[in-house]
Amino acid sequence: MMLLLLALGLVPLLTTVAGVGGAQWLLWRSVSVPGLTALPDLWTLNSSELYEATFESLQWLSPTDLRRFDFLSPSSTYQINRRYRSGASVKRYYGHQLWKLHETRLRQPKLRTFLRHFGSEVWNVNQDGIDVIIEHKNVAAAQQYMAQTAFSYNIMIDDLETAIDETYTEISDTDTDQDNPLANYSLPWLNREGVLLTWRRYHDQADIQQFLQNVLETHAELAEIVQIGVTRNKRPLEVLRVSNGNSNNFAVFVDAGMQARDWLSPAALTYAISKLTWLWEQGQADRAMRHIDWYFLPLVNPDGYQYSRLTDRLWTKNRNYDAATGCYGVNLDRNFDYAWGEAGASSNPCKNLYRGAKSFSEPETRAMRSFLLGMRDYLGAYVSFGGYGQTITYPWGDADYVTSNQRQLRHTARQAILNFRRLNHAEYSMGSSYRQKLARSGNAADWVQQHIEPQFVYNVFLKDQGRYGYLMPPHYILESGEEVYEFLKTIAQQLQ
């Protein structure tokens, strides 16, 4: 009864009156509460509407989103875990936290001691500091240690499990930011007939595969799909080629999703593909973009991606099995043979930066190697999108060296950053991979630079700068998709 009255914007007041024979009767009367929006009359609401209205009216009592606790809501913790994370083997992160340490001098003894004893994994190092995961069991001790040092820090995520839940939610029309022109879900390339992708949430690997098939069927004169290999779990590695068929075109190879827990870059790249093909069909695509042979690999690591969807949200490697240790996975961006096994990679199969037993030990990296070498004579650019950090990097990643085309790389990266600012006021940094991200030996971009030498080689690390890290809520998909499209347009315009 109380919930129904609150749902109607009324608060019950109790009044005691004298009854027959001296008995005390308890009477209810309702008064309106200023500030509560009037809702439809009780008798015009069906049961579902009444249930939703009740939760909406109760929302003002709590600073948190009560829909997370509404077990009937698709956004609730209950429904998310029932649909995606219901297995007994699901890894949980209750009480784990993401901290940003406002320090970048990694050689400081006290900082190294802190990371060794309390930090389970460093997610990112950028100009703002170090993003590090603190396990629940270490939180109190880590806080005590920091109180004894001169370091400052912020807790960016105070419970990773809650943040993980938010990455499974779906953006409804009522959740849309009406003041953000980039958050427009009515755009025609977001409403393709027969496509499972909505860009309102993150989708499974099979939905991404179905999207590529739909693009092929819808734009048969522009598109074709090339299967360049299969993973250890027999998932196809499919490259979508979009071209006008002109043999004089430069080729641009674009990939995303090399790290399994990075869900944003595959979603953003598929958005850019959808926009490009739709505008191309309508004759509205930028002229420079229509004179490129585009090769898109939206999901480099489908096995790891799907494992992160269903079992371990923070999984980052592929699903190779190491019999000697019983551990799974190789970090694909440490498995290429340029400076393989040097600084920034691990020889331990149980670590996230594991380089593999040898260079190109994995079917995903071997497939990319074979396909890219076949494009050696006409590859104009290689671009790899990933998370996170809002930075554009170029070779080299193993040491602080300079490439012969660094001036051109810097000029184009600077132009892209200016375009991002005009687009949505996003602030990106730029620089060599080593300077921006520290050592990354065995990464794909450096291998492409060494063996193929196209005009442009970039890693673009999308949003954000550490507020959510790898756990970006889905309302960032559209904005990041526009940034991906803008970067690809910049590359097309700069190719000579």
Side-chain angles (χ1 to χ4, degrees):
M1 181 65 178
M2 177 71 76
L3 294 181
L4 299 185
L5 290 170
L6 284 173
L8 295 173
L10 303 173
V11 172
L13 297 181
L14 299 178
T15 304
T16 305
V17 298
V20 179
Q24 298 292 313
W25 289 6
L26 199 61
L27 299 183
W28 290 72
R29 62 191 180 92
S30 299
V31 297
S32 298
V33 177
L36 287 182
T37 304
L39 297 171
D41 291 337
L42 174 63
W43 308 115
T44 65
L45 293 174
N46 61 36
S47 59
S48 298
E49 293 170 335
L50 181 58
Y51 188 84
E52 293 175 3
T54 301
F55 267 90
E56 289 176 5
S57 295
L58 287 173
Q59 181 61 64
W60 68 282
L61 295 171
S62 172
T64 61
D65 189 349
L66 289 178
R67 288 173 300 178
R68 289 193 55 249
F69 307 103
D70 168 15
F71 71 95
L72 294 182
S73 168
S75 300
S76 69
T77 297
Y78 170 78
Q79 291 290 346
I80 287 170
N81 285 278
R82 185 180 69 84
R83 293 173 61 193
Y84 298 106
R85 309 174 75 226
S86 59
S89 60
V90 170
K91 185 168 183 179
R92 303 292 179 180
Y93 292 90
Y94 296 114
H96 289 45
Q97 296 183 344
L98 174 64
W99 288 17
K100 181 179 286 291
L101 310 182
H102 300 294
E103 180 59 61
T104 57
R105 293 171 293 176
L106 292 175
R107 296 186 182 277
Q108 288 201 52
K110 289 186 177 180
L111 181 59
R112 292 168 69 92
T113 299
F114 175 85
L115 295 175
R116 183 170 62 252
H117 289 288
F118 306 114
S120 63
E121 184 187 3
V122 173
W123 268 12
N124 197 20
V125 179
N126 53 37
Q127 297 170 336
D128 295 332
I130 304 168
D131 299 339
V132 58
I133 297 297
I134 310 295
E135 293 185 16
H136 175 61
K137 64 182 180 181
N138 293 331
V139 168
Q143 291 172 335
Q144 292 176 2
Y145 182 89
M146 293 298 282
Q148 300 170 5
T149 69
F151 300 129
S152 63
Y153 70 97
N154 289 106
I155 300 176
M156 310 307 290
I157 299 177
D158 61 5
D159 180 37
L160 286 184
E161 190 68 18
T162 299
I164 286 171
D165 283 348
E166 292 178 0
T167 65
Y168 286 91
T169 58
E170 183 165 3
I171 304 301
S172 66
D173 289 334
T174 56
D175 295 327
T176 303
D177 183 0
Q178 301 298 328
D179 297 327
N180 184 359
L182 298 182
N184 181 4
Y185 289 93
S186 63
L187 294 170
W189 52 85
L190 295 178
N191 297 277
R192 289 175 172 269
E193 184 177 354
V195 171
L196 297 175
L197 295 189
T198 64
W199 295 279
R200 293 175 180 264
R201 64 179 177 90
Y202 296 113
H203 287 257
D204 288 341
Q205 175 264 341
D207 293 354
I208 297 175
Q209 190 176 354
Q210 188 263 358
F211 163 74
L212 298 181
Q213 187 65 36
N214 179 273
V215 171
L216 174 65
E217 295 171 357
T218 307
H219 307 284
E221 72 288 354
L222 296 175
E224 65 174 309
I225 291 177
V226 182
Q227 182 173 314
I228 65 172
V230 295
T231 68
R232 293 189 183 275
N233 290 347
K234 307 306 179 185
R235 290 188 173 92
L237 295 169
E238 294 184 336
V239 170
L240 176 71
R241 178 177 183 263
V242 179
S243 171
N244 61 8
N246 189 330
S247 60
N248 295 321
N249 290 345
F250 275 115
V252 176
F253 187 93
V254 186
D255 69 50
M258 197 169 291
Q259 305 298 325
R261 61 190 170 194
D262 164 33
W263 294 2
L264 182 62
S265 67
L269 181 54
T270 53
Y271 173 97
I273 294 170
S274 189
K275 179 175 181 177
L276 173 63
T277 52
W278 190 89
L279 291 178
W280 197 320
E281 192 73 36
Q282 303 298 314
Q284 300 174 20
D286 184 86
R287 183 179 181 278
M289 298 186 80
R290 289 185 281 112
H291 288 79
I292 297 290
D293 288 353
W294 297 99
Y295 293 85
F296 298 109
L297 179 58
L299 206 52
V300 177
N301 185 7
D303 287 353
Y305 178 85
Q306 198 59 23
Y307 185 77
S308 78
R309 293 280 300 164
L310 301 176
T311 304
D312 183 355
R313 176 62 183 87
L314 301 186
W315 187 260
T316 194
K317 301 182 286 184
N318 73 352
R319 292 298 294 163
N320 171 64
Y321 178 67
D322 182 75
T325 61
C327 293
Y328 283 86
V330 170
N331 191 309
L332 299 179
D333 209 30
R334 301 294 187 276
N335 192 236
F336 289 76
D337 76 352
Y338 177 81
W340 176 84
E342 297 181 11
S346 174
S347 60
N348 185 343
C350 301
K351 297 296 185 180
N352 277 344
L353 295 179
Y354 178 49
R355 65 196 183 192
K358 60 181 180 179
S359 62
F360 293 117
S361 62
E362 304 311 297
E364 297 91 345
T365 56
R366 290 198 301 271
M368 287 184 63
R369 175 186 61 182
S370 299
F371 192 72
L372 286 165
L373 286 175
M375 304 167 64
R376 187 198 303 253
D377 295 336
Y378 51 92
L379 184 67
Y382 169 82
V383 182
S384 182
F385 290 100
Y388 66 96
Q390 289 184 208
T391 185
I392 301 171
T393 71
Y394 41 80
W396 303 96
D398 64 316
D400 195 12
Y401 300 141
V402 176
T403 62
S404 59
N405 61 337
Q406 188 172 101
R407 179 175 295 181
Q408 187 181 16
L409 291 171
R410 288 181 60 83
H411 171 77
T412 300
R414 189 179 295 112
Q415 184 60 52
I417 288 174
L418 293 175
N419 292 341
F420 287 161
R421 288 176 184 165
R422 283 192 288 266
L423 176 70
N424 59 0
H425 307 291
E427 289 296 331
Y428 276 69
S429 61
M430 55 172 274
S432 73
S433 181
Y434 182 83
R435 289 202 170 191
Q436 293 290 317
K437 289 287 186 177
L438 299 184
R440 296 172 56 243
S441 62
N443 73 79
D446 283 1
W447 178 84
V448 171
Q449 178 68 34
Q450 183 192 38
H451 290 275
I452 302 178
E453 291 189 275
Q455 288 187 38
F456 301 115
V457 176
Y458 291 108
N459 284 108
V460 182
F461 296 92
L462 300 173
K463 289 182 166 30
D464 60 2
Q465 293 179 323
R467 170 62 185 88
Y468 296 103
Y470 288 109
L471 301 177
M472 297 297 295
H475 62 259
Y476 285 97
I477 293 174
L478 264 59
E479 192 170 336
S480 297
E482 286 290 340
E483 290 174 3
V484 168
Y485 183 84
E486 193 66 35
F487 189 85
L488 297 180
K489 184 168 71 172
T490 303
I491 291 293
Q493 293 171 345
Q494 294 291 321
L495 272 175
Q496 300 175 0

